[in-house]
Amino acid sequence: MKKATFMCLAVLASLLFTRCSKDKEEVDTVYPEIDLSVAGAFPRQCSSIQRGQAFTFKARFSDNAELGSYSLDVHHNFDHHSHSTEVEECDLEAKKTPVQPFLFIKDYAITAGLQEYVATVEISVPADADPGDYHFMVRLTDKEGWQTMKGLSIKITD
């Protein structure tokens, strides 16, 4: 009887320890990446976009485990605030008060299970949008919640 009890305890212990070791998942601590060097990527730092026209945002996203979502945010920089993540500085126009600034903010889901994704989004700039200095923000989040941001300075022109 003692031998049977011992054998049962040994089997239970091995199952318990085996189960515990399988429960230990590797935690993703790597930030996702935004690649603006892919062919046709746009915009880039200091790009110009004509008002009244549409342009196509394009970038390559990657992550070591799984991508989650991204968001795009275009807003005026008439007061010369900064979000730039780029080394190159762009020439800024004089500070001014916005009258009818362009504003674009939108979130996008990325299909589950992907480690790489090339995003393309067509964005239309209204013909009556204030020309001048703007920021183009790209935020990429992986499934674990890690986020990478690119802040580009762009111009909307006549």
Side-chain angles (χ1 to χ4, degrees), residues 51-52 78 96 99-103 125-132 134 156-158:
R51 65 183 183 162
F78 300 161
K96 66 181 185 179
V99 176
Q100 196 157 349
F102 177 58
L103 180 64
V125 179
D128 60 352
D130 291 343
Y134 283 79
I156 293 181
T157 61
D158 287 320

Side-chain angles (χ1 to χ4, degrees), residues 44-59:
R44 296 182 188 216
Q45 180 73 346
C46 304
S47 289
S48 290
I49 297 164
Q50 190 170 1
R51 65 183 183 162
Q53 301 288 318
F55 68 96
T56 302
F57 163 75
K58 182 178 180 182

Side-chain angles (χ1 to χ4, degrees), residues 56-97:
T56 302
F57 163 75
K58 182 178 180 182
R60 181 183 164 273
F61 301 144
S62 61
D63 188 63
N64 66 312
E66 185 175 347
L67 293 165
S69 63
Y70 68 100
S71 66
L72 303 177
D73 172 342
V74 183
H75 61 272
H76 79 81
N77 184 23
F78 300 161
D79 60 357
H80 296 178
H81 67 276
S82 182
H83 304 286
S84 184
T85 59
E86 305 303 293
V87 175
E88 178 186 2
E89 291 190 24
C90 307
D91 293 330
L92 296 176
E93 297 176 6
K95 289 182 179 183
K96 66 181 185 179
T97 303

Side-chain angles (χ1 to χ4, degrees), residues 106-144:
K106 193 162 181 185
D107 297 321
Y108 301 89
I110 297 174
T111 303
L114 297 179
Q115 290 180 299
E116 187 174 306
Y117 180 74
V118 176
T120 57
V121 176
E122 186 170 297
I123 300 170
S124 295
V125 179
D128 60 352
D130 291 343
D133 299 309
Y134 283 79
H135 285 139
F136 192 103
M137 309 295 296
V138 182
R139 288 181 180 86
L140 174 63
T141 307
D142 69 11
K143 185 180 178 192
E144 196 67 31

Side-chain angles (χ1 to χ4, degrees), residues 17-36:
F17 287 118
T18 302
R19 178 70 182 153
C20 288
S21 66
K22 287 183 180 176
D23 285 346
K24 291 183 181 178
E25 292 183 26
E26 217 173 288
V27 177
D28 176 17
T29 58
V30 179
Y31 289 93
E33 295 182 13
I34 300 169
D35 181 3
L36 294 173

